[in-house]
Amino acid sequence: MAEATMGVRLTGDDMTEVSRGKLWTGRVIAGLVALFLLFDAAMKFVKPKSVADAFVRSGWPIEVSSTLGALLLISTILYLIPKTSILGAILLTGYLGGAVAANLRLEEPLFSHTLFPVYFGVLVWGSLWLRDSKLQALVPLRQNSQA
C-alpha cells in the first residue's frame, strides 16, 4: 500500500525514483566536483612546487601531503560509489571543514579562500540530494504556501 510522506511517495521500504532531470543534474555536479577533488588528491601525491609552497605557507609539514591525499582520494571514491556515497559525503565534509579551519587560522580572504571548501561541501551534498529520494525526504525543500 502506497503512502505519502513529506511529498515523497513510499512503496514498502523503497521510495519512488527521482526525475531524470534531477538525477542527471546531480550526476554532472558530482562528476565535476569529483574531478576537482581527484586532481587535488593527485597533486598531494605528486607534490609540485605550488603544493610544497602552500604547505610551507600553512605551517604543515610536506610529509603529511600524501596522507591528506590518501584521505581525500578514499573519501572521493566512496562518494562516487552509490552504495557508499553518503559515507563519502560525510568524510568529505570533515575534510573540507579542516580546510576551512586551516584557512581561518591563516587569515585567508573569506569568500575566495576560506569559504571555498564550503562551496564544495554544498555541491557535494546538493548533488546527492538531487540523486537520492531518501535524502530529499530527509531534507525537504519547503515552498512558501500562499493562503
Side-chain angles (χ1 to χ4, degrees):
M1 179 173 202
E3 157 186 342
T5 304
M6 289 193 244
V8 177
R9 211 178 97 195
L10 303 175
T11 310
D13 289 334
D14 299 326
M15 298 199 175
T16 58
E17 293 183 23
V18 297
S19 72
R20 283 184 151 209
K22 281 184 179 178
L23 179 66
W24 280 101
T25 301
R27 285 177 176 169
V28 168
I29 293 169
L32 292 172
V33 167
L35 283 173
F36 178 86
L37 295 174
L38 291 170
F39 177 77
D40 188 25
M43 290 300 102
K44 286 179 175 39
F45 289 112
V46 175
K47 301 175 192 161
K49 183 171 176 10
S50 60
V51 169
D53 291 346
F55 271 79
V56 168
R57 239 183 5 264
S58 70
W60 286 82
I62 192 66
E63 294 79 22
V64 301
S65 178
S66 295
T67 303
L68 288 172
L71 291 170
L72 182 55
L73 180 63
I74 290 166
S75 300
T76 303
I77 290 170
L78 289 171
Y79 168 68
L80 289 172
I81 300 169
K83 287 190 180 232
T84 59
S85 60
I86 298 289
L87 174 60
I90 291 168
L91 294 173
L92 285 172
T93 301
Y95 181 90
L96 294 169
V100 170
N103 287 332
L104 274 172
R105 185 182 65 80
L106 296 172
E107 298 179 350
E108 295 284 359
L110 181 64
F111 294 105
S112 62
H113 291 69
T114 301
L115 293 179
F116 189 76
V118 173
Y119 307 147
F120 264 80
V122 168
L123 291 173
V124 164
W125 283 101
S127 72
L128 272 179
W129 186 90
L130 288 167
R131 296 180 284 146
D132 190 331
S133 61
K134 290 179 184 178
L135 195 53
Q136 291 174 22
L138 183 64
V139 184
L141 295 182
R142 306 214 187 262
Q143 295 178 349
N144 291 335
S145 58
Q146 295 183 1

